[in-house]
Short mmCIF file of all heavy atoms in Angstrom, two decimals:
data_model
loop_
_atom_site.label_atom_id
_atom_site.label_comp_id
_atom_site.label_asym_id
_atom_site.label_seq_id
_atom_site.Cartn_x
_atom_site.Cartn_y
_atom_site.Cartn_z
N GLY S 380 -0.18 12.59 5.86
CA GLY S 380 -1.18 12.85 6.91
C GLY S 380 -1.47 14.33 7.07
O GLY S 380 -2.61 14.73 7.33
N ILE S 381 -0.46 15.16 6.84
CA ILE S 381 -0.66 16.61 7.00
C ILE S 381 -1.62 17.12 5.93
O ILE S 381 -2.54 17.90 6.20
CB ILE S 381 0.71 17.32 6.91
CG1 ILE S 381 1.55 16.97 8.13
CG2 ILE S 381 0.53 18.82 6.78
CD1 ILE S 381 2.99 17.30 8.00
N ILE S 382 -1.43 16.62 4.70
CA ILE S 382 -2.32 17.04 3.60
C ILE S 382 -3.74 16.55 3.85
O ILE S 382 -4.71 17.29 3.77
CB ILE S 382 -1.82 16.48 2.26
CG1 ILE S 382 -0.36 16.84 2.01
CG2 ILE S 382 -2.70 16.97 1.11
CD1 ILE S 382 0.26 16.09 0.85
N LEU S 383 -3.84 15.27 4.20
CA LEU S 383 -5.17 14.67 4.38
C LEU S 383 -5.91 15.34 5.53
O LEU S 383 -7.11 15.58 5.47
CB LEU S 383 -5.03 13.17 4.62
CG LEU S 383 -4.39 12.38 3.47
CD1 LEU S 383 -4.18 10.92 3.84
CD2 LEU S 383 -5.22 12.52 2.19
N SER S 384 -5.16 15.69 6.59
CA SER S 384 -5.79 16.37 7.72
C SER S 384 -6.28 17.75 7.30
O SER S 384 -7.38 18.18 7.62
CB SER S 384 -4.77 16.48 8.86
OG SER S 384 -5.32 17.17 9.96
N ALA S 385 -5.45 18.44 6.49
CA ALA S 385 -5.84 19.80 6.01
C ALA S 385 -7.07 19.73 5.12
O ALA S 385 -7.92 20.62 5.15
CB ALA S 385 -4.67 20.42 5.25
N ILE S 386 -7.19 18.66 4.35
CA ILE S 386 -8.36 18.51 3.45
C ILE S 386 -9.63 18.21 4.25
O ILE S 386 -10.73 18.52 3.83
CB ILE S 386 -8.08 17.40 2.40
CG1 ILE S 386 -6.99 17.87 1.42
CG2 ILE S 386 -9.34 17.03 1.63
CD1 ILE S 386 -6.54 16.80 0.42
N GLY S 387 -9.44 17.62 5.45
CA GLY S 387 -10.60 17.38 6.31
C GLY S 387 -10.81 15.93 6.70
O GLY S 387 -11.80 15.59 7.35
N PHE S 388 -9.88 15.05 6.33
CA PHE S 388 -10.02 13.64 6.70
C PHE S 388 -9.58 13.43 8.15
O PHE S 388 -8.55 13.96 8.56
CB PHE S 388 -9.16 12.75 5.80
CG PHE S 388 -9.63 12.68 4.38
CD1 PHE S 388 -8.99 13.41 3.38
CD2 PHE S 388 -10.70 11.88 4.01
CE1 PHE S 388 -9.42 13.36 2.07
CE2 PHE S 388 -11.13 11.82 2.69
CZ PHE S 388 -10.49 12.56 1.72
N PRO S 389 -10.32 12.62 8.91
CA PRO S 389 -9.83 12.24 10.25
C PRO S 389 -8.66 11.26 10.09
O PRO S 389 -8.59 10.55 9.08
CB PRO S 389 -11.03 11.57 10.90
CG PRO S 389 -11.84 11.04 9.75
CD PRO S 389 -11.64 12.01 8.62
N THR S 390 -7.77 11.18 11.06
CA THR S 390 -6.60 10.29 10.93
C THR S 390 -7.04 8.85 10.71
O THR S 390 -6.36 8.09 10.04
CB THR S 390 -5.72 10.36 12.20
OG1 THR S 390 -6.55 10.20 13.34
CG2 THR S 390 -4.99 11.68 12.28
N SER S 391 -8.19 8.47 11.21
CA SER S 391 -8.64 7.07 11.06
C SER S 391 -8.90 6.72 9.60
O SER S 391 -8.96 5.55 9.24
CB SER S 391 -9.90 6.82 11.88
OG SER S 391 -10.93 7.69 11.43
N MET S 392 -9.03 7.74 8.73
CA MET S 392 -9.30 7.48 7.32
C MET S 392 -8.02 7.41 6.49
O MET S 392 -8.04 7.04 5.31
CB MET S 392 -10.21 8.57 6.75
CG MET S 392 -11.68 8.37 7.02
SD MET S 392 -12.37 6.90 6.20
CE MET S 392 -12.35 7.44 4.49
N PHE S 393 -6.87 7.78 7.09
CA PHE S 393 -5.65 7.89 6.28
C PHE S 393 -5.28 6.55 5.61
O PHE S 393 -5.01 6.49 4.42
CB PHE S 393 -4.47 8.34 7.15
CG PHE S 393 -4.57 9.76 7.62
CD1 PHE S 393 -5.66 10.57 7.33
CD2 PHE S 393 -3.55 10.30 8.38
CE1 PHE S 393 -5.74 11.88 7.78
CE2 PHE S 393 -3.61 11.62 8.84
CZ PHE S 393 -4.70 12.40 8.54
N THR S 394 -5.31 5.47 6.37
CA THR S 394 -4.90 4.19 5.78
C THR S 394 -5.96 3.67 4.82
O THR S 394 -5.66 2.96 3.86
CB THR S 394 -4.61 3.15 6.89
OG1 THR S 394 -3.75 3.74 7.87
CG2 THR S 394 -3.90 1.93 6.32
N VAL S 395 -7.20 4.09 5.03
CA VAL S 395 -8.27 3.74 4.09
C VAL S 395 -7.95 4.33 2.72
O VAL S 395 -8.09 3.68 1.68
CB VAL S 395 -9.63 4.26 4.58
CG1 VAL S 395 -10.71 4.08 3.51
CG2 VAL S 395 -10.04 3.56 5.87
N LEU S 396 -7.45 5.57 2.72
CA LEU S 396 -7.10 6.24 1.45
C LEU S 396 -5.91 5.55 0.80
O LEU S 396 -5.83 5.41 -0.41
CB LEU S 396 -6.81 7.71 1.71
CG LEU S 396 -7.96 8.49 2.34
CD1 LEU S 396 -7.53 9.89 2.72
CD2 LEU S 396 -9.16 8.52 1.42
N PHE S 397 -4.98 5.10 1.64
CA PHE S 397 -3.83 4.34 1.13
C PHE S 397 -4.34 3.05 0.46
O PHE S 397 -3.96 2.72 -0.65
CB PHE S 397 -2.90 4.00 2.31
CG PHE S 397 -1.51 3.55 1.92
CD1 PHE S 397 -0.43 3.78 2.75
CD2 PHE S 397 -1.28 2.89 0.73
CE1 PHE S 397 0.86 3.36 2.41
CE2 PHE S 397 -0.01 2.45 0.37
CZ PHE S 397 1.05 2.70 1.22
N ALA S 398 -5.28 2.37 1.13
CA ALA S 398 -5.83 1.11 0.58
C ALA S 398 -6.59 1.37 -0.71
O ALA S 398 -6.50 0.60 -1.68
CB ALA S 398 -6.74 0.45 1.61
N LEU S 399 -7.34 2.48 -0.76
CA LEU S 399 -8.08 2.84 -1.97
C LEU S 399 -7.12 2.92 -3.14
O LEU S 399 -7.33 2.30 -4.20
CB LEU S 399 -8.79 4.18 -1.74
CG LEU S 399 -9.73 4.72 -2.80
CD1 LEU S 399 -10.57 5.86 -2.21
CD2 LEU S 399 -9.04 5.24 -4.05
N ALA S 400 -6.03 3.65 -2.96
CA ALA S 400 -5.07 3.83 -4.06
C ALA S 400 -4.30 2.54 -4.36
O ALA S 400 -4.12 2.16 -5.52
CB ALA S 400 -4.09 4.95 -3.71
N ARG S 401 -3.89 1.85 -3.30
CA ARG S 401 -3.06 0.65 -3.52
C ARG S 401 -3.85 -0.50 -4.12
O ARG S 401 -3.25 -1.42 -4.70
CB ARG S 401 -2.44 0.21 -2.18
CG ARG S 401 -1.43 -0.92 -2.25
CD ARG S 401 -0.27 -0.71 -3.22
NE ARG S 401 0.50 0.50 -3.00
CZ ARG S 401 1.56 0.56 -2.21
NH1 ARG S 401 1.96 -0.48 -1.54
NH2 ARG S 401 2.25 1.69 -2.09
N THR S 402 -5.16 -0.42 -4.13
CA THR S 402 -5.97 -1.46 -4.78
C THR S 402 -5.60 -1.60 -6.24
O THR S 402 -5.54 -2.70 -6.79
CB THR S 402 -7.47 -1.13 -4.63
OG1 THR S 402 -7.81 -1.22 -3.25
CG2 THR S 402 -8.35 -2.07 -5.44
N VAL S 403 -5.23 -0.47 -6.89
CA VAL S 403 -4.80 -0.54 -8.29
C VAL S 403 -3.55 -1.39 -8.43
O VAL S 403 -3.44 -2.27 -9.28
CB VAL S 403 -4.56 0.90 -8.82
CG1 VAL S 403 -3.73 0.88 -10.08
CG2 VAL S 403 -5.89 1.59 -9.06
N GLY S 404 -2.58 -1.18 -7.53
CA GLY S 404 -1.34 -1.97 -7.58
C GLY S 404 -1.60 -3.42 -7.23
O GLY S 404 -1.10 -4.34 -7.90
#
Side-chain angles (χ1 to χ4, degrees):
I381 292 165
I382 306 169
L383 298 175
S384 178
I386 291 175
F388 292 102
T390 49
S391 60
M392 278 295 289
F393 290 3
T394 311
V395 171
L396 301 173
F397 196 151
L399 186 166
R401 187 54 56 90
T402 294
V403 162

